[in-house]
Amino acid sequence: QVQLVESGGGLVQAGASLRLSCAASGGTFSTYAMGWFRQAPGQEREFVAAITRSGGPTYYADFVKGRFTISRDNAKNTVYLQLNSLKPEDTAVYYCAADQFNYIATMSPIVGADFGSWGQGTQVTVLS
């Protein structure tokens, strides 16, 4: 089972950018599709973005609207989420997750149950 550790969250003003990182260990990273989810206080966890094993097709939630970009570096066992033009409603804990069976390529919509391993999360707070 792969272990995941997120970093890069913080407190920023609206319009700013952040890059979240998720470092994986204990597994063969290139065999996992990866995803990012977020959960705001009092709300359910929601899908943000996902990327296939090779870094090929990527998938985004509609609310991303070109503001966020998911990428991965299999040589560094790391997946990234670039957050641009941040809004106060983007405030949430962001979680990285690993999909061992590449469900994201075949299942729609992409949901948390597609992922078997999760990180502890990193807080993103956007001030208006």
Side-chain angles (χ1 to χ4, degrees):
Q1 196 88 346
V2 66
Q3 288 80 50
L4 305 172
V5 178
E6 302 95 333
S7 61
L11 179 69
V12 297
Q13 295 288 334
S17 298
L18 285 172
R19 189 175 82 154
L20 307 183
S21 299
C22 172
S25 62
T28 305
F29 181 68
S30 61
T31 66
Y32 290 85
M34 299 297 296
W36 286 94
F37 288 74
R38 71 184 188 183
Q39 187 168 21
Q43 297 187 22
E44 294 187 354
R45 182 179 61 192
E46 63 180 351
F47 167 70
V48 177
I51 188 167
T52 53
R53 292 161 169 165
S54 63
T58 55
Y59 309 88
Y60 294 95
D62 289 343
F63 64 78
V64 169
K65 294 182 179 178
R67 299 185 298 125
F68 299 173
T69 303
I70 189 171
S71 62
R72 66 189 296 162
D73 186 338
N74 285 346
K76 295 183 178 180
N77 292 347
T78 302
V79 62
Y80 305 97
L81 185 66
Q82 178 69 40
L83 310 175
N84 295 330
S85 302
L86 282 163
K87 305 174 181 180
E89 51 265 42
D90 294 319
T91 295
V93 178
Y94 284 71
Y95 297 92
C96 166
D99 166 14
Q100 183 178 6
F101 301 105
N102 205 33
Y103 287 130
I104 66 167
T106 57
M107 306 294 284
S108 181
I110 295 172
V111 296
D114 296 337
F115 298 82
S117 299
W118 294 81
Q120 84 290 347
T122 186
Q123 176 71 47
V124 172
T125 302
V126 184
L127 302 177
S128 58

mmCIF file with all atom_site columns, all heavy atoms in Angstrom, residues 6-12 18 20 39-41 83 90-95 120-126:
data_model
loop_
_atom_site.group_PDB
_atom_site.id
_atom_site.type_symbol
_atom_site.label_atom_id
_atom_site.label_alt_id
_atom_site.label_comp_id
_atom_site.label_asym_id
_atom_site.label_entity_id
_atom_site.label_seq_id
_atom_site.pdbx_PDB_ins_code
_atom_site.Cartn_x
_atom_site.Cartn_y
_atom_site.Cartn_z
_atom_site.occupancy
_atom_site.B_iso_or_equiv
_atom_site.pdbx_formal_charge
_atom_site.auth_seq_id
_atom_site.auth_comp_id
_atom_site.auth_asym_id
_atom_site.auth_atom_id
_atom_site.pdbx_PDB_model_num
ATOM 1   N N   . GLU A 1 6   ? 1.086   14.990 1.673  1.00 0.00 ? 6   GLU A N   1
ATOM 2   C CA  . GLU A 1 6   ? 0.869   16.236 0.966  1.00 0.00 ? 6   GLU A CA  1
ATOM 3   C C   . GLU A 1 6   ? 1.636   17.388 1.622  1.00 0.00 ? 6   GLU A C   1
ATOM 4   O O   . GLU A 1 6   ? 1.913   17.359 2.827  1.00 0.00 ? 6   GLU A O   1
ATOM 5   C CB  . GLU A 1 6   ? -0.618  16.626 0.936  1.00 0.00 ? 6   GLU A CB  1
ATOM 6   C CG  . GLU A 1 6   ? -1.544  15.609 0.305  1.00 0.00 ? 6   GLU A CG  1
ATOM 7   C CD  . GLU A 1 6   ? -2.176  14.685 1.333  1.00 0.00 ? 6   GLU A CD  1
ATOM 8   O OE1 . GLU A 1 6   ? -1.562  14.478 2.401  1.00 0.00 ? 6   GLU A OE1 1
ATOM 9   O OE2 . GLU A 1 6   ? -3.275  14.166 1.081  1.00 0.00 ? 6   GLU A OE2 1
ATOM 10  N N   . SER A 1 7   ? 1.933   18.390 0.813  1.00 0.00 ? 7   SER A N   1
ATOM 11  C CA  . SER A 1 7   ? 2.555   19.615 1.316  1.00 0.00 ? 7   SER A CA  1
ATOM 12  C C   . SER A 1 7   ? 2.224   20.758 0.368  1.00 0.00 ? 7   SER A C   1
ATOM 13  O O   . SER A 1 7   ? 1.702   20.522 -0.724 1.00 0.00 ? 7   SER A O   1
ATOM 14  C CB  . SER A 1 7   ? 4.073   19.449 1.441  1.00 0.00 ? 7   SER A CB  1
ATOM 15  O OG  . SER A 1 7   ? 4.647   19.169 0.180  1.00 0.00 ? 7   SER A OG  1
ATOM 16  N N   . GLY A 1 8   ? 2.527   21.977 0.803  1.00 0.00 ? 8   GLY A N   1
ATOM 17  C CA  . GLY A 1 8   ? 2.372   23.124 -0.073 1.00 0.00 ? 8   GLY A CA  1
ATOM 18  C C   . GLY A 1 8   ? 1.166   23.993 0.198  1.00 0.00 ? 8   GLY A C   1
ATOM 19  O O   . GLY A 1 8   ? 0.999   25.039 -0.429 1.00 0.00 ? 8   GLY A O   1
ATOM 20  N N   . GLY A 1 9   ? 0.309   23.578 1.121  1.00 0.00 ? 9   GLY A N   1
ATOM 21  C CA  . GLY A 1 9   ? -0.836  24.405 1.440  1.00 0.00 ? 9   GLY A CA  1
ATOM 22  C C   . GLY A 1 9   ? -0.416  25.668 2.173  1.00 0.00 ? 9   GLY A C   1
ATOM 23  O O   . GLY A 1 9   ? 0.746   25.839 2.554  1.00 0.00 ? 9   GLY A O   1
ATOM 24  N N   . GLY A 1 10  ? -1.373  26.572 2.369  1.00 0.00 ? 10  GLY A N   1
ATOM 25  C CA  . GLY A 1 10  ? -1.062  27.798 3.082  1.00 0.00 ? 10  GLY A CA  1
ATOM 26  C C   . GLY A 1 10  ? -2.206  28.769 3.079  1.00 0.00 ? 10  GLY A C   1
ATOM 27  O O   . GLY A 1 10  ? -3.316  28.457 2.639  1.00 0.00 ? 10  GLY A O   1
ATOM 28  N N   . LEU A 1 11  ? -1.904  29.970 3.588  1.00 0.00 ? 11  LEU A N   1
ATOM 29  C CA  . LEU A 1 11  ? -2.867  31.061 3.681  1.00 0.00 ? 11  LEU A CA  1
ATOM 30  C C   . LEU A 1 11  ? -2.490  32.094 2.632  1.00 0.00 ? 11  LEU A C   1
ATOM 31  O O   . LEU A 1 11  ? -1.372  32.633 2.672  1.00 0.00 ? 11  LEU A O   1
ATOM 32  C CB  . LEU A 1 11  ? -2.811  31.662 5.084  1.00 0.00 ? 11  LEU A CB  1
ATOM 33  C CG  . LEU A 1 11  ? -3.723  32.846 5.384  1.00 0.00 ? 11  LEU A CG  1
ATOM 34  C CD1 . LEU A 1 11  ? -5.165  32.385 5.405  1.00 0.00 ? 11  LEU A CD1 1
ATOM 35  C CD2 . LEU A 1 11  ? -3.338  33.454 6.724  1.00 0.00 ? 11  LEU A CD2 1
ATOM 36  N N   . VAL A 1 12  ? -3.411  32.380 1.699  1.00 0.00 ? 12  VAL A N   1
ATOM 37  C CA  . VAL A 1 12  ? -3.112  33.313 0.613  1.00 0.00 ? 12  VAL A CA  1
ATOM 38  C C   . VAL A 1 12  ? -4.288  34.241 0.377  1.00 0.00 ? 12  VAL A C   1
ATOM 39  O O   . VAL A 1 12  ? -5.410  33.966 0.821  1.00 0.00 ? 12  VAL A O   1
ATOM 40  C CB  . VAL A 1 12  ? -2.761  32.576 -0.695 1.00 0.00 ? 12  VAL A CB  1
ATOM 41  C CG1 . VAL A 1 12  ? -1.504  31.735 -0.548 1.00 0.00 ? 12  VAL A CG1 1
ATOM 42  C CG2 . VAL A 1 12  ? -3.933  31.727 -1.165 1.00 0.00 ? 12  VAL A CG2 1
ATOM 43  N N   . LEU A 1 18  ? -0.863  28.653 -5.584 1.00 0.00 ? 18  LEU A N   1
ATOM 44  C CA  . LEU A 1 18  ? -0.150  27.704 -4.735 1.00 0.00 ? 18  LEU A CA  1
ATOM 45  C C   . LEU A 1 18  ? 0.139   26.464 -5.564 1.00 0.00 ? 18  LEU A C   1
ATOM 46  O O   . LEU A 1 18  ? -0.621  26.140 -6.490 1.00 0.00 ? 18  LEU A O   1
ATOM 47  C CB  . LEU A 1 18  ? -0.985  27.294 -3.515 1.00 0.00 ? 18  LEU A CB  1
ATOM 48  C CG  . LEU A 1 18  ? -1.142  28.264 -2.352 1.00 0.00 ? 18  LEU A CG  1
ATOM 49  C CD1 . LEU A 1 18  ? -2.170  27.709 -1.359 1.00 0.00 ? 18  LEU A CD1 1
ATOM 50  C CD2 . LEU A 1 18  ? 0.194   28.498 -1.665 1.00 0.00 ? 18  LEU A CD2 1
ATOM 51  N N   . LEU A 1 20  ? 0.557   22.495 -4.741 1.00 0.00 ? 20  LEU A N   1
ATOM 52  C CA  . LEU A 1 20  ? 0.517   21.398 -3.784 1.00 0.00 ? 20  LEU A CA  1
ATOM 53  C C   . LEU A 1 20  ? 1.336   20.237 -4.328 1.00 0.00 ? 20  LEU A C   1
ATOM 54  O O   . LEU A 1 20  ? 1.334   19.966 -5.534 1.00 0.00 ? 20  LEU A O   1
ATOM 55  C CB  . LEU A 1 20  ? -0.919  20.939 -3.543 1.00 0.00 ? 20  LEU A CB  1
ATOM 56  C CG  . LEU A 1 20  ? -1.923  22.024 -3.148 1.00 0.00 ? 20  LEU A CG  1
ATOM 57  C CD1 . LEU A 1 20  ? -3.288  21.386 -2.864 1.00 0.00 ? 20  LEU A CD1 1
ATOM 58  C CD2 . LEU A 1 20  ? -1.443  22.824 -1.964 1.00 0.00 ? 20  LEU A CD2 1
ATOM 59  N N   . GLN A 1 39  ? -12.010 18.979 0.851  1.00 0.00 ? 39  GLN A N   1
ATOM 60  C CA  . GLN A 1 39  ? -13.156 18.982 1.747  1.00 0.00 ? 39  GLN A CA  1
ATOM 61  C C   . GLN A 1 39  ? -13.151 20.277 2.543  1.00 0.00 ? 39  GLN A C   1
ATOM 62  O O   . GLN A 1 39  ? -12.190 20.554 3.284  1.00 0.00 ? 39  GLN A O   1
ATOM 63  C CB  . GLN A 1 39  ? -13.137 17.778 2.697  1.00 0.00 ? 39  GLN A CB  1
ATOM 64  C CG  . GLN A 1 39  ? -14.393 17.659 3.537  1.00 0.00 ? 39  GLN A CG  1
ATOM 65  C CD  . GLN A 1 39  ? -14.479 16.316 4.242  1.00 0.00 ? 39  GLN A CD  1
ATOM 66  O OE1 . GLN A 1 39  ? -13.494 15.624 4.428  1.00 0.00 ? 39  GLN A OE1 1
ATOM 67  N NE2 . GLN A 1 39  ? -15.699 15.933 4.609  1.00 0.00 ? 39  GLN A NE2 1
ATOM 68  N N   . ALA A 1 40  ? -14.193 21.045 2.379  1.00 0.00 ? 40  ALA A N   1
ATOM 69  C CA  . ALA A 1 40  ? -14.373 22.277 3.130  1.00 0.00 ? 40  ALA A CA  1
ATOM 70  C C   . ALA A 1 40  ? -15.161 21.984 4.398  1.00 0.00 ? 40  ALA A C   1
ATOM 71  O O   . ALA A 1 40  ? -15.888 20.981 4.456  1.00 0.00 ? 40  ALA A O   1
ATOM 72  C CB  . ALA A 1 40  ? -15.113 23.300 2.273  1.00 0.00 ? 40  ALA A CB  1
ATOM 73  N N   . PRO A 1 41  ? -15.034 22.828 5.413  1.00 0.00 ? 41  PRO A N   1
ATOM 74  C CA  . PRO A 1 41  ? -15.755 22.594 6.665  1.00 0.00 ? 41  PRO A CA  1
ATOM 75  C C   . PRO A 1 41  ? -17.254 22.452 6.443  1.00 0.00 ? 41  PRO A C   1
ATOM 76  O O   . PRO A 1 41  ? -17.863 23.268 5.749  1.00 0.00 ? 41  PRO A O   1
ATOM 77  C CB  . PRO A 1 41  ? -15.432 23.845 7.487  1.00 0.00 ? 41  PRO A CB  1
ATOM 78  C CG  . PRO A 1 41  ? -14.143 24.332 6.946  1.00 0.00 ? 41  PRO A CG  1
ATOM 79  C CD  . PRO A 1 41  ? -14.183 24.023 5.482  1.00 0.00 ? 41  PRO A CD  1
ATOM 80  N N   . LEU A 1 83  ? -2.497  25.455 -8.299 1.00 0.00 ? 83  LEU A N   1
ATOM 81  C CA  . LEU A 1 83  ? -3.727  26.198 -8.053 1.00 0.00 ? 83  LEU A CA  1
ATOM 82  C C   . LEU A 1 83  ? -3.490  27.654 -8.421 1.00 0.00 ? 83  LEU A C   1
ATOM 83  O O   . LEU A 1 83  ? -2.665  28.324 -7.798 1.00 0.00 ? 83  LEU A O   1
ATOM 84  C CB  . LEU A 1 83  ? -4.120  26.103 -6.577 1.00 0.00 ? 83  LEU A CB  1
ATOM 85  C CG  . LEU A 1 83  ? -4.162  24.720 -5.932 1.00 0.00 ? 83  LEU A CG  1
ATOM 86  C CD1 . LEU A 1 83  ? -4.449  24.850 -4.435 1.00 0.00 ? 83  LEU A CD1 1
ATOM 87  C CD2 . LEU A 1 83  ? -5.199  23.848 -6.592 1.00 0.00 ? 83  LEU A CD2 1
ATOM 88  N N   . ASP A 1 90  ? -12.342 28.230 -2.623 1.00 0.00 ? 90  ASP A N   1
ATOM 89  C CA  . ASP A 1 90  ? -11.390 27.133 -2.752 1.00 0.00 ? 90  ASP A CA  1
ATOM 90  C C   . ASP A 1 90  ? -10.813 26.713 -1.397 1.00 0.00 ? 90  ASP A C   1
ATOM 91  O O   . ASP A 1 90  ? -10.046 25.745 -1.325 1.00 0.00 ? 90  ASP A O   1
ATOM 92  C CB  . ASP A 1 90  ? -10.237 27.534 -3.681 1.00 0.00 ? 90  ASP A CB  1
ATOM 93  C CG  . ASP A 1 90  ? -10.676 27.753 -5.117 1.00 0.00 ? 90  ASP A CG  1
ATOM 94  O OD1 . ASP A 1 90  ? -11.508 26.967 -5.612 1.00 0.00 ? 90  ASP A OD1 1
ATOM 95  O OD2 . ASP A 1 90  ? -10.193 28.723 -5.738 1.00 0.00 ? 90  ASP A OD2 1
ATOM 96  N N   . THR A 1 91  ? -11.159 27.437 -0.355 1.00 0.00 ? 91  THR A N   1
ATOM 97  C CA  . THR A 1 91  ? -10.683 27.101 0.978  1.00 0.00 ? 91  THR A CA  1
ATOM 98  C C   . THR A 1 91  ? -11.155 25.706 1.374  1.00 0.00 ? 91  THR A C   1
ATOM 99  O O   . THR A 1 91  ? -12.352 25.416 1.353  1.00 0.00 ? 91  THR A O   1
ATOM 100 C CB  . THR A 1 91  ? -11.163 28.131 2.001  1.00 0.00 ? 91  THR A CB  1
ATOM 101 O OG1 . THR A 1 91  ? -10.562 29.398 1.699  1.00 0.00 ? 91  THR A OG1 1
ATOM 102 C CG2 . THR A 1 91  ? -10.800 27.715 3.416  1.00 0.00 ? 91  THR A CG2 1
ATOM 103 N N   . ALA A 1 92  ? -10.209 24.840 1.726  1.00 0.00 ? 92  ALA A N   1
ATOM 104 C CA  . ALA A 1 92  ? -10.523 23.452 2.060  1.00 0.00 ? 92  ALA A CA  1
ATOM 105 C C   . ALA A 1 92  ? -9.236  22.734 2.446  1.00 0.00 ? 92  ALA A C   1
ATOM 106 O O   . ALA A 1 92  ? -8.130  23.267 2.262  1.00 0.00 ? 92  ALA A O   1
ATOM 107 C CB  . ALA A 1 92  ? -11.146 22.742 0.863  1.00 0.00 ? 92  ALA A CB  1
ATOM 108 N N   . VAL A 1 93  ? -9.407  21.538 2.969  1.00 0.00 ? 93  VAL A N   1
ATOM 109 C CA  . VAL A 1 93  ? -8.279  20.621 3.105  1.00 0.00 ? 93  VAL A CA  1
ATOM 110 C C   . VAL A 1 93  ? -8.195  19.835 1.799  1.00 0.00 ? 93  VAL A C   1
ATOM 111 O O   . VAL A 1 93  ? -9.190  19.270 1.346  1.00 0.00 ? 93  VAL A O   1
ATOM 112 C CB  . VAL A 1 93  ? -8.451  19.672 4.299  1.00 0.00 ? 93  VAL A CB  1
ATOM 113 C CG1 . VAL A 1 93  ? -7.277  18.700 4.364  1.00 0.00 ? 93  VAL A CG1 1
ATOM 114 C CG2 . VAL A 1 93  ? -8.569  20.454 5.596  1.00 0.00 ? 93  VAL A CG2 1
ATOM 115 N N   . TYR A 1 94  ? -7.013  19.820 1.207  1.00 0.00 ? 94  TYR A N   1
ATOM 116 C CA  . TYR A 1 94  ? -6.804  19.125 -0.053 1.00 0.00 ? 94  TYR A CA  1
ATOM 117 C C   . TYR A 1 94  ? -6.093  17.803 0.206  1.00 0.00 ? 94  TYR A C   1
ATOM 118 O O   . TYR A 1 94  ? -5.059  17.766 0.890  1.00 0.00 ? 94  TYR A O   1
ATOM 119 C CB  . TYR A 1 94  ? -5.986  20.003 -0.998 1.00 0.00 ? 94  TYR A CB  1
ATOM 120 C CG  . TYR A 1 94  ? -6.807  21.108 -1.614 1.00 0.00 ? 94  TYR A CG  1
ATOM 121 C CD1 . TYR A 1 94  ? -7.235  22.189 -0.847 1.00 0.00 ? 94  TYR A CD1 1
ATOM 122 C CD2 . TYR A 1 94  ? -7.186  21.070 -2.949 1.00 0.00 ? 94  TYR A CD2 1
ATOM 123 C CE1 . TYR A 1 94  ? -8.013  23.206 -1.392 1.00 0.00 ? 94  TYR A CE1 1
ATOM 124 C CE2 . TYR A 1 94  ? -7.957  22.085 -3.515 1.00 0.00 ? 94  TYR A CE2 1
ATOM 125 C CZ  . TYR A 1 94  ? -8.363  23.135 -2.729 1.00 0.00 ? 94  TYR A CZ  1
ATOM 126 O OH  . TYR A 1 94  ? -9.141  24.137 -3.282 1.00 0.00 ? 94  TYR A OH  1
ATOM 127 N N   . TYR A 1 95  ? -6.657  16.751 -0.339 1.00 0.00 ? 95  TYR A N   1
ATOM 128 C CA  . TYR A 1 95  ? -6.149  15.403 -0.143 1.00 0.00 ? 95  TYR A CA  1
ATOM 129 C C   . TYR A 1 95  ? -5.658  14.802 -1.450 1.00 0.00 ? 95  TYR A C   1
ATOM 130 O O   . TYR A 1 95  ? -6.308  14.934 -2.494 1.00 0.00 ? 95  TYR A O   1
ATOM 131 C CB  . TYR A 1 95  ? -7.241  14.495 0.415  1.00 0.00 ? 95  TYR A CB  1
ATOM 132 C CG  . TYR A 1 95  ? -7.754  14.885 1.765  1.00 0.00 ? 95  TYR A CG  1
ATOM 133 C CD1 . TYR A 1 95  ? -8.859  15.715 1.899  1.00 0.00 ? 95  TYR A CD1 1
ATOM 134 C CD2 . TYR A 1 95  ? -7.140  14.412 2.923  1.00 0.00 ? 95  TYR A CD2 1
ATOM 135 C CE1 . TYR A 1 95  ? -9.342  16.087 3.151  1.00 0.00 ? 95  TYR A CE1 1
ATOM 136 C CE2 . TYR A 1 95  ? -7.617  14.770 4.181  1.00 0.00 ? 95  TYR A CE2 1
ATOM 137 C CZ  . TYR A 1 95  ? -8.716  15.602 4.278  1.00 0.00 ? 95  TYR A CZ  1
ATOM 138 O OH  . TYR A 1 95  ? -9.187  15.953 5.526  1.00 0.00 ? 95  TYR A OH  1
ATOM 139 N N   . GLN A 1 120 ? -2.833  12.670 4.413  1.00 0.00 ? 120 GLN A N   1
ATOM 140 C CA  . GLN A 1 120 ? -3.438  13.287 5.594  1.00 0.00 ? 120 GLN A CA  1
ATOM 141 C C   . GLN A 1 120 ? -4.046  14.652 5.285  1.00 0.00 ? 120 GLN A C   1
ATOM 142 O O   . GLN A 1 120 ? -4.780  15.206 6.097  1.00 0.00 ? 120 GLN A O   1
ATOM 143 C CB  . GLN A 1 120 ? -2.399  13.416 6.709  1.00 0.00 ? 120 GLN A CB  1
ATOM 144 C CG  . GLN A 1 120 ? -1.503  14.649 6.630  1.00 0.00 ? 120 GLN A CG  1
ATOM 145 C CD  . GLN A 1 120 ? -0.517  14.619 5.475  1.00 0.00 ? 120 GLN A CD  1
ATOM 146 O OE1 . GLN A 1 120 ? -0.307  13.582 4.842  1.00 0.00 ? 120 GLN A OE1 1
ATOM 147 N NE2 . GLN A 1 120 ? 0.096   15.754 5.181  1.00 0.00 ? 120 GLN A NE2 1
ATOM 148 N N   . GLY A 1 121 ? -3.731  15.196 4.141  1.00 0.00 ? 121 GLY A N   1
ATOM 149 C CA  . GLY A 1 121 ? -4.313  16.470 3.723  1.00 0.00 ? 121 GLY A CA  1
ATOM 150 C C   . GLY A 1 121 ? -3.419  17.656 4.012  1.00 0.00 ? 121 GLY A C   1
ATOM 151 O O   . GLY A 1 121 ? -2.578  17.633 4.910  1.00 0.00 ? 121 GLY A O   1
ATOM 152 N N   . THR A 1 122 ? -3.636  18.722 3.244  1.00 0.00 ? 122 THR A N   1
ATOM 153 C CA  . THR A 1 122 ? -2.936  19.987 3.467  1.00 0.00 ? 122 THR A CA  1
ATOM 154 C C   . THR A 1 122 ? -3.965  21.108 3.346  1.00 0.00 ? 122 THR A C   1
ATOM 155 O O   . THR A 1 122 ? -4.800  21.107 2.442  1.00 0.00 ? 122 THR A O   1
ATOM 156 C CB  . THR A 1 122 ? -1.778  20.172 2.476  1.00 0.00 ? 122 THR A CB  1
ATOM 157 O OG1 . THR A 1 122 ? -1.042  21.348 2.803  1.00 0.00 ? 122 THR A OG1 1
ATOM 158 C CG2 . THR A 1 122 ? -2.244  20.245 1.032  1.00 0.00 ? 122 THR A CG2 1
ATOM 159 N N   . GLN A 1 123 ? -3.915  22.043 4.284  1.00 0.00 ? 123 GLN A N   1
ATOM 160 C CA  . GLN A 1 123 ? -4.928  23.101 4.353  1.00 0.00 ? 123 GLN A CA  1
ATOM 161 C C   . GLN A 1 123 ? -4.601  24.225 3.370  1.00 0.00 ? 123 GLN A C   1
ATOM 162 O O   . GLN A 1 123 ? -3.468  24.727 3.344  1.00 0.00 ? 123 GLN A O   1
ATOM 163 C CB  . GLN A 1 123 ? -4.993  23.670 5.773  1.00 0.00 ? 123 GLN A CB  1
ATOM 164 C CG  . GLN A 1 123 ? -5.943  24.836 5.943  1.00 0.00 ? 123 GLN A CG  1
ATOM 165 C CD  . GLN A 1 123 ? -7.398  24.429 5.861  1.00 0.00 ? 123 GLN A CD  1
ATOM 166 O OE1 . GLN A 1 123 ? -7.812  23.450 6.482  1.00 0.00 ? 123 GLN A OE1 1
ATOM 167 N NE2 . GLN A 1 123 ? -8.203  25.184 5.098  1.00 0.00 ? 123 GLN A NE2 1
ATOM 168 N N   . VAL A 1 124 ? -5.602  24.618 2.620  1.00 0.00 ? 124 VAL A N   1
ATOM 169 C CA  . VAL A 1 124 ? -5.518  25.798 1.768  1.00 0.00 ? 124 VAL A CA  1
ATOM 170 C C   . VAL A 1 124 ? -6.581  26.782 2.225  1.00 0.00 ? 124 VAL A C   1
ATOM 171 O O   . VAL A 1 124 ? -7.768  26.428 2.290  1.00 0.00 ? 124 VAL A O   1
ATOM 172 C CB  . VAL A 1 124 ? -5.733  25.441 0.283  1.00 0.00 ? 124 VAL A CB  1
ATOM 173 C CG1 . VAL A 1 124 ? -5.846  26.710 -0.566 1.00 0.00 ? 124 VAL A CG1 1
ATOM 174 C CG2 . VAL A 1 124 ? -4.615  24.547 -0.226 1.00 0.00 ? 124 VAL A CG2 1
ATOM 175 N N   . THR A 1 125 ? -6.159  27.980 2.584  1.00 0.00 ? 125 THR A N   1
ATOM 176 C CA  . THR A 1 125 ? -7.078  29.019 3.024  1.00 0.00 ? 125 THR A CA  1
ATOM 177 C C   . THR A 1 125 ? -6.888  30.242 2.142  1.00 0.00 ? 125 THR A C   1
ATOM 178 O O   . THR A 1 125 ? -5.768  30.751 2.025  1.00 0.00 ? 125 THR A O   1
ATOM 179 C CB  . THR A 1 125 ? -6.837  29.396 4.492  1.00 0.00 ? 125 THR A CB  1
ATOM 180 O OG1 . THR A 1 125 ? -6.983  28.219 5.308  1.00 0.00 ? 125 THR A OG1 1
ATOM 181 C CG2 . THR A 1 125 ? -7.845  30.443 4.946  1.00 0.00 ? 125 THR A CG2 1
ATOM 182 N N   . VAL A 1 126 ? -7.980  30.699 1.533  1.00 0.00 ? 126 VAL A N   1
ATOM 183 C CA  . VAL A 1 126 ? -7.934  31.829 0.623  1.00 0.00 ? 126 VAL A CA  1
ATOM 184 C C   . VAL A 1 126 ? -8.753  32.963 1.216  1.00 0.00 ? 126 VAL A C   1
ATOM 185 O O   . VAL A 1 126 ? -9.964  32.818 1.449  1.00 0.00 ? 126 VAL A O   1
ATOM 186 C CB  . VAL A 1 126 ? -8.463  31.451 -0.770 1.00 0.00 ? 126 VAL A CB  1
ATOM 187 C CG1 . VAL A 1 126 ? -8.302  32.629 -1.736 1.00 0.00 ? 126 VAL A CG1 1
ATOM 188 C CG2 . VAL A 1 126 ? -7.771  30.220 -1.304 1.00 0.00 ? 126 VAL A CG2 1
#
